Amino acid sequence: GENVGLHLPTLSVQEGDNSIINCAYSNSASDYFIWYKQESGKGPQFIIDIRSNMDKRQGQRVTVLLNKTVKHLSLQIAATQPGDSAVYFCAENDSGAGSYQLTFGKGTKLSVIP
Amino acid sequence: DVKVTQSSRYLVKRTGEKVFLECVQDMDHENMFWYRQDPGLGLRLIYFSYDVKMKEKGDIPEGYSVSREKKERFSLILESASTNQTSMYLCASSSGLMAGGNSPLHFGNGTRLTVT
């Protein structure tokens, strides 16, 4: 939404630098994690996902790292571009609980400085 | 690409009105969801449906109901709109048994509802 970025942690990055966005999750039984990107005025858009049997997964310019020991997830964006400016959400799912639901983090606002 | 379409981008309704928010997806997904998004609170699940005519309450179902008469369409109903239901409403869909297990959620662009 237009004002989804209010009250959120903000990360400012120079264009061309790498960005690292962090997320702490709460449920040690969660076994599937997703990163979403939400631009102003749009719905969240899927970026990349990872299952708990992996600790790293790479996509195009993005890498997700999972540390189950400390329940931490991070999204790395290489060579950050102005179009990467958005709010980024992590989400977790405990598929073993038969859950259809994703639990979302509050989000981090990424601002790219040209 | 999956397309989730919400019929209205902006709606303004009066307190006490019955409000219908419509959502259609074109990928034959079994699961459909309604979330609301508020600053500082993130995305909260209102209701979801894993099959036609099936529905399950999410975290904040009070004041809302849903209808899923056809697989591609999931409607959110505010029986008597109140000002605290002013929010951004997001519809999503996914395939497979579980939202996170087999496929991620795909979201529409949202309906911003203002209740005056």
Side-chain angles (χ1 to χ4, degrees):
Chain A
E2 288 84 356
N3 63 345
V4 71
L6 293 177
H7 314 301
L8 291 177
T10 299
L11 175 66
S12 296
V13 175
Q14 201 73 39
E15 181 178 357
D17 287 352
N18 297 334
S19 303
I20 300 176
I21 301 170
N22 295 304
C23 176
Y25 63 92
S26 56
N27 184 0
S28 57
S30 290
D31 57 357
Y32 180 64
F33 306 87
I34 308 175
W35 279 100
Y36 284 92
K37 171 187 180 183
Q38 187 173 23
E39 297 173 273
S40 181
K42 296 185 178 180
Q45 177 186 6
F46 170 81
I47 302 173
I48 192 168
D49 58 2
I50 188 168
R51 297 187 184 279
S52 59
N53 60 353
M54 303 172 69
D55 53 20
K56 180 179 180 179
R57 190 168 188 215
Q58 288 185 291
Q60 187 177 10
R61 278 202 311 119
V62 294
T63 301
V64 56
L65 298 177
L66 175 63
N67 185 331
K68 295 182 287 294
T69 303
V70 295
K71 292 187 286 188
H72 184 268
L73 195 66
S74 68
L75 177 71
Q76 300 179 0
I77 305 173
T80 311
Q81 302 168 1
D84 295 327
S85 292
V87 176
Y88 290 81
F89 298 93
C90 64
E92 60 181 296
N93 172 251
D94 174 8
S95 61
S99 172
Y100 292 87
Q101 300 184 33
L102 288 175
T103 300
F104 287 86
K106 295 290 190 291
T108 297
K109 183 177 181 180
L110 176 65
S111 294
V112 181
I113 305 164
Chain B
D1 275 355
V2 175
K3 190 162 186 183
V4 179
T5 303
Q6 295 183 232
S7 54
S8 303
R9 286 302 303 273
Y10 299 95
L11 275 179
V12 180
K13 296 292 182 181
R14 294 183 184 273
T15 301
E17 279 193 79
K18 190 168 185 176
V19 182
F20 293 86
L21 302 183
E22 306 289 347
C23 175
V24 177
Q25 49 94 3
D26 66 357
M27 285 301 292
D28 201 36
H29 282 172
E30 292 85 357
N31 308 318
M32 296 189 75
F33 304 78
W34 275 106
Y35 288 85
R36 63 178 283 176
Q37 185 176 34
D38 301 285
L41 297 176
L43 284 122
R44 294 181 290 167
L45 181 65
I46 305 170
Y47 267 97
F48 67 98
S49 167
Y50 52 89
D51 201 354
V52 175
K53 297 192 186 294
M54 304 300 291
K55 60 184 179 183
E56 294 282 345
K57 292 180 180 179
D59 299 320
I60 51 163
E62 296 77 20
Y64 303 93
S65 62
V66 290
S67 172
R68 185 126 182 245
E69 296 296 318
K70 294 184 178 181
K71 192 174 186 180
E72 67 271 18
R73 185 180 296 272
F74 193 36
S75 303
L76 179 69
I77 303 154
L78 285 67
E79 297 291 342
S80 177
S82 63
T83 54
N84 63 12
Q85 292 179 308
T86 292
S87 186
M88 170 67 78
Y89 290 88
L90 289 161
C91 176
S93 73
S94 71
S95 66
L97 287 175
M98 298 175 196
N102 292 318
S103 83
L105 295 183
H106 297 270
F107 285 88
N109 280 330
T111 296
R112 178 158 292 283
L113 172 68
T114 302
V115 183
T116 61

